Amino acid sequence: MHHHEKTAFLKFFITYFVSIALLILAAGFFYYIQMKDHLLKAEEFSLIEYARHIKLHLNMDEYRDGIYTHKFVTRPEKHIDIRNFTVADKYFMKYMPTKKPYYYLQILKKKDAFNKRLFELKIKIWTLQFLLLLVFAFISYKLAKNALKPFQESISTLDKFAKDLIHDLNTPVTSIKLNMKLLEKKEECAENTALQRVKKSVETISELHENLTILLQEETFQLEQVNLCKITQEILQTQQQIYPNIRFTQECSNFTAKLNAHAIKQILQNIISNACKYNTQNGYVKIYTTKNALYIQNSGPKILNPEKIFERSYSSDKRSSGIGLDIVNRLARAMSIEIRVESDDASNTFILTLR
């Protein structure tokens, strides 16, 4: 599954599942409140029934378990609200009027049985909610997968078309590069300005072709332990021949991570190539590492919008299409690498953090 497919899947799944989960939790909460109120009314009715047994001198055998206690008390009120009902920490209490003014029957009932029923109610609701969440998590998963099918089919068709196109472009690009090398050997063509422009365009097409080839392999990335410092060292050796006036330094020898070797090489190739291309006269390119990050720094001019350079087709230079860094960013995300850029008047630094 591609990175964008995973993102779309997770967004759909989380949105649907969280919505249902909130409804289930809200329903459980209101059901609990309703049932608690019902149980409290039942407790109040039991106190009234107990008072009825006392007043009518009925059989009290069922109340001899020590749960209920009563006594007659005087109160300053001549009349009392018959709906009075007190819920204390350990008992329920209710006053019932008698025939004598200011004289009332006070009934107390322990809350142990009520607390037990309330706890059982909570367990029942939590268990039911948990089971419902599992069911709807499965339903959310299935719905998200089904919703992605048309999207995946479209992407698959586009990927197949792109792979065929890239494959078909390989032959003419290789042929153009070989013929360019043959032309460069001829003296009358060595200093030809138009030919040099064509050569640069061919190099740009070739670089784009390589980027797209690796990008289209994102779904089948094979991860392995790769030493990034070894790769950067090889790239620097190549760049040093192209840019002899730039000072290259590398302060790392062993920085390994589980990545796709071809993809990470393409990422580093793009960044280091740009660091050399957009540099000052007699500038430098420096590579170093910290605990979990690789730094590529150059003395190039300040990047005006560092937060936008990874956007597709954005470029501050008319000579560049801006697609290269977009592909770099997509390859990095596919391998869980975070890339950020720091830029000031003195230097630009690309920071690759392994997550």
Side-chain angles (χ1 to χ4, degrees), residues 69-93:
T69 58
H70 70 278
K71 62 181 178 179
F72 291 94
V73 297
T74 57
R75 290 178 61 88
E77 306 96 335
K78 185 175 181 180
H79 301 287
I80 193 169
D81 188 350
I82 194 65
R83 295 172 298 177
N84 76 89
F85 179 64
T86 303
V87 181
D89 291 337
K90 296 182 179 180
Y91 59 86
F92 298 109
M93 183 175 65

Side-chain angles (χ1 to χ4, degrees), residues 22-35:
L22 289 174
L23 287 174
I24 291 172
L25 294 174
F29 174 75
F30 288 116
Y31 177 74
Y32 171 76
I33 295 298
Q34 185 181 20
M35 289 303 297

Side-chain angles (χ1 to χ4, degrees), residues 164-177 209 213:
D164 291 342
L165 181 63
I166 294 300
H167 181 267
D168 292 342
L169 280 174
N170 185 52
T171 302
V173 168
T174 305
S175 176
I176 293 170
K177 288 171 71 175
H209 178 267
T213 301

Side-chain angles (χ1 to χ4, degrees), residues 204 207 239 243 246 270-280 285 298 301 317 319-320:
T204 301
E207 183 182 339
Q239 294 296 322
Y243 300 96
I246 293 177
N270 271 276
I271 295 175
I272 294 173
S273 174
N274 283 344
C276 297
K277 189 186 299 183
Y278 304 107
N279 211 320
T280 57
V285 173
N298 78 334
D317 189 338
R319 296 171 295 173
S320 172

Side-chain angles (χ1 to χ4, degrees), residues 85-272:
F85 179 64
T86 303
V87 181
D89 291 337
K90 296 182 179 180
Y91 59 86
F92 298 109
M93 183 175 65
K94 188 173 182 66
Y95 290 98
M96 298 296 294
T98 63
K99 293 179 180 180
K100 297 179 181 181
Y102 307 105
Y103 198 62
Y104 298 94
L105 173 63
Q106 183 192 62
I107 307 168
L108 300 177
K109 181 182 179 182
K110 292 180 181 177
K111 287 181 66 178
D112 296 344
F114 171 81
N115 290 336
K116 183 180 178 181
R117 285 195 294 270
L118 203 61
F119 178 74
E120 290 172 351
L121 175 63
K122 289 179 181 178
I123 294 298
K124 179 182 176 182
I125 292 172
W126 290 340
T127 303
L128 183 60
Q129 285 180 326
F130 178 73
L131 292 174
L132 285 173
L133 287 174
L134 285 180
V135 169
F136 279 102
F138 177 75
I139 293 173
S140 301
Y141 174 80
K142 286 294 184 182
L143 286 174
K145 291 284 285 184
N146 290 335
L148 275 181
K149 276 186 179 179
F151 179 58
Q152 287 174 324
E153 289 171 1
S154 298
I155 294 229
S156 178
T157 303
L158 288 172
D159 276 356
K160 188 176 182 302
F161 172 76
K163 286 176 182 177
D164 291 342
L165 181 63
I166 294 300
H167 181 267
D168 292 342
L169 280 174
N170 185 52
T171 302
V173 168
T174 305
S175 176
I176 293 170
K177 288 171 71 175
L178 289 172
N179 281 287
M180 285 297 302
K181 288 181 180 179
L182 290 174
L183 287 171
E184 285 178 336
K185 291 179 180 179
K186 294 183 178 182
E187 293 182 6
E188 62 271 23
C189 297
E191 301 298 327
N192 190 298
T193 306
L195 188 64
Q196 293 302 316
R197 286 199 298 268
V198 172
K199 181 184 175 183
K200 285 186 179 181
S201 297
V202 170
E203 289 173 353
T204 301
I205 293 171
S206 178
E207 183 182 339
L208 183 58
H209 178 267
E210 290 175 6
N211 287 336
L212 290 172
T213 301
I214 293 175
L215 182 62
L216 290 172
Q217 297 171 356
E218 176 187 341
E219 192 174 1
T220 57
F221 270 175
Q222 296 296 320
L223 303 181
E224 57 183 298
Q225 287 294 330
V226 180
N227 187 349
L228 275 69
C229 294
K230 186 177 179 181
I231 296 174
T232 55
Q233 184 64 45
E234 292 173 0
I235 295 171
L236 290 185
Q237 288 174 359
T238 303
Q239 294 296 322
Q240 201 158 20
Q241 296 175 6
I242 303 172
Y243 300 96
N245 295 327
I246 293 177
R247 185 173 73 259
F248 294 91
T249 57
Q250 177 165 312
E251 298 176 1
C252 78
S253 58
N254 187 32
F255 187 68
T256 59
K258 198 169 185 179
L259 304 166
N260 179 272
H262 296 294
I264 191 61
K265 184 174 182 179
Q266 200 62 32
I267 289 172
L268 295 171
Q269 175 71 42
N270 271 276
I271 295 175
I272 294 173

